[in-house]
Amino acid sequence: MSNDRTRLAKESFVKRPISVDDPCKKISDYYGDLIFDRRKMKEYLDPEIFKSFLECVDKGVALDMKTADGVAAGMKEWAMQHGVTHVTHWFQPLSEVTAEKHDCLIDYDGKGGVIEAFDGRALAQQEPDASSFPSGGIRATFEARGYTAWDPTSPVFIEEDTLCIPTVFISYTGEALDCKTPLKKALKAVSDAALPICRLFDPKVSKVISYLGWEQEYFLVDESLYAARTDLMITGRTLMGHNSSKNQQLGDHYFGAIPPRVAAFMRDLEIAGHKLGIPLKTRHNEAAPNQFELAPIFGDTNLANDQNQIVMNLMNKLARKHGFVVLFHEKPFAGVNGSGKHNNWSLGTDTGTMLLAPGKDPMGNLQFITFFVNVLAAVQRHNGLLKASIASATNAHRLGAHEAPPAIISAFLGNTMTSVLHKLLEVPSDTPIEIAGKEGRKIGLVEIPEIFIDNTDRNRTSPFAFIGNRFEFRAVGAPANCATAMTTLNAAVAEQLLLFKADLDKELAKGKTLQVAVMDTLKPIIARVIDVICFDGNGYTEEWKKEAERRGLDVEDSVPEMFRTFTSEGSVEMFTKTGVYSLKELEARNAVKWETYSKKIQIEASVYVRMAINHILPAAIEYKNSLLETVSKTKEVFGSLDSCKTEVDLTREISALIEDIKAQSDRLKGKANEAEALADEYEKASAYQKVAKACDELRKPLDRLEELVDNRLWPLPKYRELLFIS
């Protein structure tokens, strides 16, 4: 049976084409074809309308209906030239996926027929049913009204025959029901807080921009094998499965040659992404078999987050065309690396200055150190909250494992920046700040050019690492919407910058120079952060867990408990002060998080029990019966069991495993029922955490049976089949 599955997968692949596009066409020829960007707006919009639109996007001027009507008219003309027949408001509810409701571009013409119609009102606002999306109690089932509103800072795009308009999603009473609304508020908050500080160094600055560069990890599995795994289809991960003899222990997959079939998928994905103006740049094999990564050029956080959601949807669709299924789960296979989505984050100004990159002169370095230290202070103040922002039932399988960032938020600086901070505490405040740049290093071979070494190394065990001109928030899970982590980080930094500016103003009022005032304000902060949040060692060790707790960092490892940090006094004060969340919105989001956590564990527990009883036990019993028949015939022929000791021992072990699985399945079902009966969402989630541990225990005898039962009888594709693409 196992060999048949592999053969069918290979045969189905042979029938599929490798490529679907002209390989000679340059990317720049079609880049952005399917987005209504500024270049197309200039072509399709009236000059006055175009000018008004730019004032809205660039300067925050309110968008009037005349401008909206003008933009809609040009947008409709452009879209219909691409065969568009429908329009949708594309939004990001709290259900962890994107949502859309399609409306046909028609209306009555008053003469018994229809005409294509699309105006500013349809562009700016739509009313989806808000009661069917997670709201944490903000909306009851009988209170259905909610609204989507156009986000003009993110370009509309075409997907097949539909014009997709990125929007925010709010309730009838005004609360945010999505991921985009609070993210945009956090981006405004960090800009507003950073701007007065930036203007001390450059009065020309009018806006501070938050940047995001995401690195999307994922697995590919053959579609036919995926269809034979109930657990993969329902939960996104394998709930059982013994390790393959060969997996990633040789390290031969990482950065290895990309299999042709995968390369064809990647090429089609990049073409589709480039047409949508998504600057996909990097692709490679990741550490685990069948694991891969892609990454774009970094950009504005709001737009980059939208693009990540678009890319994930594209991946799901295009993978099927190549006979694959994409797995975004953080831990789809036991025993090999899981998948994250590293969020490379930075700040910059509209004048082109990157605030987290060392400057070209002492004053530029002073500005860099100002923002660098305040980011560290924000991360220290809200380390538990940042951990909560990336926590989930699925990411719990990855965090804390010896392959991913630990479940403790610390910051890696590297030797150069650690030395800089220590030196700043020792020298007078008026000392010019110098930071070593890249240095050349010769290899010793004439034909190899000099290599320039960065002023900081990388630490793969750090969840928040400085890597030269940005911080890499490495703890975000692969299927997550980056918005939650980015909202939390930007809001935390905004709060810290406000606190810093208030203290700085007091120092400036004393008549101090800018450098002295800045350094006198920074030094107490440096002293607080350098021995608490900064850690350059191995984050996987047990010693670090003890040290982190001694330092006062959050070491909580219970996901339901982590979520409570969102409504702690400090978090509520930070979010409300920056205008990102209201208390009601925070409480609602916690309710959604707990409910989602419980449902995911409940689904997994149900699948565990049903697969154990309906798939695994019948196969085990069938093999046991065949062994018993062999034992019976052997005894009949030879008169004793001495000649079939192996069969007897196997039968006994399999019988014991069958009984263990049945007993554990019954207990698991009972625990899940008890948890489900609880009314309070936090208590229910806490109970389901115990259910998750019971699931882990049930897996052990299931995986042992896979080692023992005849391969021809085993009902599921095994890891050795799932993890290696032909």
Side-chain angles (χ1 to χ4, degrees):
M1 183 181 296
S2 177
N3 291 335
D4 288 343
R5 288 193 296 266
T6 306
R7 176 180 57 78
L8 289 172
K10 289 180 178 179
E11 288 177 354
S12 62
F13 158 60
V14 170
K15 299 174 184 176
R16 298 188 187 98
I18 289 289
S19 184
V20 296
D21 216 278
D22 180 3
C24 297
K25 201 171 184 181
K26 294 187 300 182
I27 295 173
S28 57
D29 290 338
Y30 58 81
Y31 188 84
D33 276 357
L34 298 181
I35 60 170
F36 196 59
D37 55 15
R38 296 190 182 200
R39 179 172 56 85
K40 298 184 187 69
M41 286 183 176
K42 192 171 183 179
E43 177 183 351
Y44 284 88
L45 301 186
D46 176 86
E48 286 300 316
I49 295 294
F50 182 52
K51 180 181 178 182
S52 296
F53 176 80
L54 292 185
E55 288 181 348
C56 168
V57 174
D58 296 337
K59 300 179 181 179
V61 177
L63 189 73
D64 57 59
M65 190 51 63
K66 178 183 177 182
T67 302
D69 281 334
V71 173
M75 198 180 286
K76 184 185 77 168
E77 181 184 355
W78 167 76
M80 290 181 62
Q81 289 175 2
H82 285 78
V84 164
T85 57
H86 289 70
V87 63
T88 183
H89 275 200
W90 180 85
F91 57 104
Q92 301 168 35
L94 302 178
S95 54
E96 300 183 352
V97 293
T98 58
E100 51 198 64
K101 179 186 76 171
H102 296 200
D103 288 328
C104 192
L105 288 172
I106 59 171
D107 202 351
Y108 286 121
D109 64 357
K111 302 176 183 178
V114 295
I115 57 172
E116 282 73 20
F118 182 61
D119 59 16
R121 190 171 299 278
L123 168 63
Q125 183 176 311
Q126 193 181 56
E127 184 191 346
D129 186 341
S131 67
S132 298
F133 293 101
S135 71
I138 288 177
R139 296 267 79 191
T141 302
F142 62 88
E143 296 172 321
R145 203 177 292 279
Y147 300 99
T148 52
W150 176 35
D151 174 12
T153 64
S154 186
V156 302
F157 59 95
I158 293 174
E159 184 178 322
E160 298 180 349
D161 65 350
T162 304
L163 182 68
C164 301
I165 303 168
T167 62
V168 299
F169 180 37
I170 63 173
S171 73
Y172 180 71
T173 49
E175 293 86 8
L177 296 177
D178 65 342
C179 298
K180 179 186 271 282
T181 303
L183 175 61
K184 288 182 68 67
K185 290 181 178 180
L187 298 181
K188 181 180 185 304
V190 79
S191 179
D192 289 348
L195 189 56
I197 300 172
C198 289
R199 284 179 171 165
L200 294 173
F201 296 91
D202 181 1
K204 296 178 183 178
V205 176
S206 60
K207 184 179 181 181
V208 173
I209 304 158
S210 168
Y211 290 104
L212 168 64
W214 44 265
E215 303 171 26
Q216 181 70 61
E217 294 176 342
Y218 62 97
F219 281 83
L220 290 175
V221 295
D222 190 275
E223 187 175 20
S224 58
L225 300 180
Y226 171 86
R229 294 280 315 212
T230 302
D231 49 358
L232 272 181
M233 288 193 296
I234 295 179
T235 72
R237 76 179 182 111
T238 54
L239 300 181
M240 55 197 74
H242 195 272
N243 289 345
S244 171
S245 299
K246 178 184 181 296
N247 46 57
Q248 69 183 60
Q249 63 264 54
L250 294 178
D252 54 344
H253 190 261
Y254 192 53
F255 278 27
I258 299 172
R261 186 177 166 198
V262 176
F265 158 72
M266 289 177 168
R267 173 171 168 75
D268 286 350
L269 175 62
E270 287 177 349
I271 291 170
H274 291 154
K275 288 181 178 179
L276 290 167
I278 303 172
L280 299 178
K281 186 174 179 67
T282 302
R283 65 189 187 194
H284 63 82
N285 289 3
E286 255 299 334
N290 280 18
Q291 188 186 31
F292 308 94
E293 180 180 299
L294 65 94
I297 302 170
F298 76 95
D300 168 86
T301 297
N302 178 51
L303 179 57
N305 187 62
D306 282 358
Q307 291 175 340
N308 180 243
Q309 295 298 303
I310 295 170
V311 166
M312 292 173 73
N313 289 338
L314 282 175
M315 291 171 75
N316 282 323
K317 293 179 181 179
L318 292 176
R320 295 281 186 169
K321 293 183 179 180
H322 289 266
F324 292 126
V325 172
V326 177
L327 302 181
F328 288 118
H329 195 290
E330 289 91 343
K331 193 71 173 177
F333 302 102
V336 298
N337 277 16
S339 295
K341 178 153 51 193
H342 304 167
N343 279 206
N344 293 276
W345 173 85
S346 191
L347 294 173
T349 70
D350 57 349
T351 58
T353 299
M354 295 304 296
L355 298 174
L356 292 176
K360 298 178 181 179
D361 53 41
M363 190 54 67
N365 284 333
L366 179 64
Q367 180 174 245
F368 158 65
I369 286 294
T370 297
F371 283 92
F372 180 78
V373 170
N374 276 291
V375 169
L376 294 176
V379 173
Q380 177 176 323
R381 182 189 298 269
H382 294 293
N383 68 95
L385 179 62
L386 285 168
K387 180 169 62 177
S389 75
I390 53 84
S392 68
T394 53
N395 208 16
H397 295 286
R398 173 176 167 265
L399 293 180
H402 284 240
E403 60 176 71
I408 301 168
I409 301 298
S410 63
F412 167 81
L413 307 187
N415 292 334
T416 298
M417 291 311 303
T418 300
S419 298
V420 167
L421 294 188
H422 279 293
K423 185 177 180 181
L424 290 176
L425 290 177
E426 300 168 358
V427 300
S429 294
D430 60 353
T431 305
I433 300 174
E434 296 181 0
I435 298 173
K438 292 186 178 183
E439 62 180 40
R441 183 169 297 173
K442 292 187 180 296
I443 301 299
L445 298 171
V446 175
E447 65 272 23
I448 304 297
E450 186 176 39
I451 292 176
F452 287 92
I453 306 301
D454 288 289
N455 61 10
T456 179
D457 199 355
R458 290 197 176 193
N459 185 331
R460 290 300 183 185
T461 75
S462 175
F464 197 80
F466 181 66
I467 50 177
N469 61 358
R470 64 196 185 276
F471 283 95
E472 185 178 24
F473 193 9
R474 302 187 66 247
V476 183
N481 188 315
C482 302
T484 303
M486 289 295 97
T487 298
T488 304
L489 177 57
N490 282 284
V493 171
E495 178 200 41
Q496 175 58 35
L497 292 175
L498 291 173
L499 295 172
F500 170 79
K501 183 59 166 61
D503 290 340
L504 176 61
D505 287 343
K506 295 176 184 177
E507 297 301 317
L508 289 171
K510 297 175 184 178
K512 297 180 180 179
T513 65
L514 178 60
Q515 162 134 358
V516 172
V518 167
M519 289 311 305
D520 284 352
T521 308
L522 282 179
K523 283 184 177 182
I525 304 175
I526 295 173
R528 289 200 304 269
V529 303
I530 198 164
D531 292 325
V532 178
I533 196 67
C534 303
F535 176 67
D536 287 1
N538 185 351
Y540 294 160
T541 65
E542 289 299 318
E543 290 78 12
W544 165 236
K545 292 179 182 178
K546 296 175 183 177
E547 171 64 15
E549 188 171 12
R550 185 193 67 78
R551 293 186 182 192
L553 297 177
D554 190 308
V555 297
E556 180 62 59
D557 60 4
S558 165
V559 172
E561 193 65 31
M562 289 179 196
F563 293 152
R564 292 169 70 96
T565 312
F566 272 96
T567 51
S568 69
E569 183 178 352
S571 298
V572 172
E573 181 182 0
M574 182 271 287
F575 280 126
T576 54
K577 179 194 299 184
T578 55
V580 174
Y581 290 118
S582 67
L583 175 59
K584 184 176 182 181
E585 288 172 326
L586 287 169
E587 291 173 340
R589 274 163 170 72
N590 265 11
V592 171
K593 288 176 182 293
W594 284 320
E595 182 181 14
T596 302
Y597 179 91
S598 297
K599 287 180 176 178
K600 285 186 179 291
I601 304 300
Q602 187 272 333
I603 290 170
E604 285 198 356
S606 178
V607 173
Y608 258 114
V609 171
R610 293 180 183 183
M611 288 186 70
I613 302 302
N614 297 332
H615 291 72
I616 307 305
L617 290 191
I621 291 170
E622 183 177 355
Y623 184 49
K624 173 185 169 183
N625 288 339
S626 71
L627 289 172
L628 288 172
E629 186 176 347
T630 299
V631 169
S632 177
K633 288 182 178 179
T634 300
K635 185 176 181 182
E636 181 180 335
V637 172
F638 296 102
S640 74
L641 299 179
D642 294 341
S643 299
C644 58
K645 186 175 184 305
T646 297
E647 290 90 333
V648 171
D649 289 344
L650 274 173
T651 303
R652 284 174 176 159
E653 183 173 1
I654 289 172
S655 295
L657 289 169
I658 288 172
E659 293 303 314
D660 186 22
I661 289 169
K662 178 61 170 65
Q664 285 204 50
S665 296
D666 290 343
R667 286 197 296 271
L668 177 57
K669 190 173 181 179
K671 286 180 179 291
N673 288 338
E674 290 174 6
E676 192 62 27
L678 297 173
D680 181 81
E681 293 295 350
Y682 166 69
E683 292 179 0
K684 181 183 290 189
S686 297
Y688 266 115
Q689 185 179 25
K690 297 177 182 177
V691 172
K693 293 179 180 178
C695 289
D696 292 340
E697 289 303 310
L698 174 56
R699 177 170 185 154
K700 294 175 183 177
L702 293 171
D703 287 357
R704 177 57 181 160
L705 268 183
E706 184 180 315
E707 289 187 284
L708 301 177
V709 172
D710 189 333
N711 188 57
R712 293 169 298 179
L713 298 177
W714 194 253
L716 305 175
K718 297 184 176 181
Y719 274 22
R720 64 172 180 257
E721 302 166 62
L722 291 164
L723 282 173
F724 297 94
I725 293 174
S726 302

